[in-house]
Amino acid sequence: LTQNAYGKSRVRLTKVERHADRNDLFEWSIDVQLSGDFAPAYAVGDNRNVIATDTMKNVVYALAADQPLRSPESSALVLARHFLTYPQVNSARLEIRVDGWKRITVEGHPHPHAFVGVGPEHRTCRAFADRTVECVTAGIADLLVLKTTDSAWKDFHRDAFRTLPDTDDRILATSLTAEWTYAGVAEWNEAHAEVRRTLLERFATHKSLGAQHTLQAMGEAALNAVPTMNEITQIGRAHV
């Protein structure tokens, strides 16, 4: 046994934080993965060092109950640091997927306790921590974007199987998944909002010669807009 890791997937966390003037709603799906001194459990069935996946779930709920949920990134770090308090744990990886809700507008004002889902888009994050380093990656998943013009696709590879003609003007639609890594601690919510805003603005204004061309321009714009980022990965999937 050269390497081992195990954990708990899809811990569903829903929390309502009640304030005098409003309620805040959080709905997250959390994955926990631990690595460490668990080899005896594999080799001889000795489970004394093994932290039960049910315990992992309970930790998620207990820590969420004890403190405000300011951002998925900060909560992922809190959870990772907690699991490192177990001496048999060498590293912890936490992934959080946010189901988005926004306030319903009533007579021009956001309602204090009524919400509507934001659709297929999810905010994501991943935190890794061991006893020497911490790393935080944030992201967006399944963000649908479309532009009806300013998108060309021509001069692409020709062979016997090509039937698609060149075009100088087409509809460009894609489902965008992006992940970016922070170089250090950031104002997590503000940084995420700025990356998302920049990606969408660049998509809208870029005169595209192909999906790859636009993805590159979007990534460059995001890196320039948020100095605490040091890399970004983007995947665009055709959306029909």
Side-chain angles (χ1 to χ4, degrees):
L1 182 67
T2 58
Q3 184 177 0
N4 69 85
Y6 78 104
K8 179 73 171 176
S9 297
R10 295 188 294 276
V11 178
R12 296 294 300 173
L13 172 65
T14 300
K15 182 180 182 181
V16 177
E17 294 181 357
R18 304 185 188 278
H19 307 278
D21 60 339
R22 73 188 192 284
N23 291 342
D24 293 333
L25 172 65
F26 303 87
E27 190 172 6
W28 296 354
S29 177
I30 302 172
D31 295 348
V32 182
Q33 185 183 83
L34 306 180
S35 66
D37 185 17
F38 306 120
Y42 295 88
V44 296
D46 182 348
N47 297 320
R48 285 176 293 178
N49 276 355
V50 177
I51 302 161
T53 58
D54 187 67
T55 301
M56 296 178 189
K57 178 193 68 178
N58 293 338
V59 167
V60 169
Y61 293 152
L63 294 186
D66 287 345
Q67 58 188 336
L69 300 182
R70 294 183 175 85
S71 70
E73 293 87 352
S74 60
S75 294
L77 282 172
V78 166
L79 286 165
R81 291 164 183 165
H82 172 85
F83 286 114
L84 286 173
T85 64
Y86 296 89
Q88 67 269 43
V89 175
N90 294 335
S91 68
R93 182 184 301 272
L94 276 294
E95 297 188 15
I96 298 180
R97 183 179 177 94
V98 177
D99 289 328
W101 296 92
K102 64 179 180 180
R103 299 183 188 278
I104 295 174
T105 300
V106 178
E107 297 181 351
H109 301 284
H111 197 276
H113 60 257
F115 300 83
V116 62
V118 301
E121 177 189 354
H122 297 274
R123 178 176 174 177
T124 62
C125 82
R126 181 171 61 254
F128 172 85
D130 60 20
R131 303 194 185 280
T132 59
V133 298
E134 294 180 344
C135 179
V136 176
T137 299
I140 298 168
D142 305 322
L143 174 60
L144 302 180
V145 292
L146 181 149
K147 58 194 300 182
T148 58
T149 190
D150 278 345
S151 174
W153 179 237
K154 61 183 181 180
D155 299 328
F156 50 94
H157 178 73
R158 294 181 181 274
D159 61 19
F161 301 99
R162 172 180 157 166
T163 59
L164 192 67
D166 288 346
T167 181
D168 290 312
D169 193 13
R170 65 167 183 169
I171 294 174
L172 174 60
T174 190
S175 174
L176 178 68
T177 294
E179 287 190 342
W180 54 91
T181 301
Y182 292 104
V185 176
E187 294 293 335
W188 306 117
N189 291 330
E190 291 82 352
H192 191 279
E194 181 66 11
V195 174
R196 184 182 184 277
R197 182 193 65 78
T198 302
L199 292 175
L200 289 176
E201 287 187 358
R202 192 63 177 130
F203 175 83
T205 59
H206 184 245
K207 192 168 183 62
S208 177
L209 300 179
Q212 296 89 340
H213 185 218
T214 297
L215 287 172
Q216 173 79 11
M218 293 166 66
E220 290 175 348
L223 287 169
N224 289 331
V226 182
T228 52
M229 293 167 54
N230 60 13
E231 66 177 16
I232 184 169
T233 301
Q234 297 181 100
I235 301 172
R237 296 179 176 87
H239 180 69
V240 179

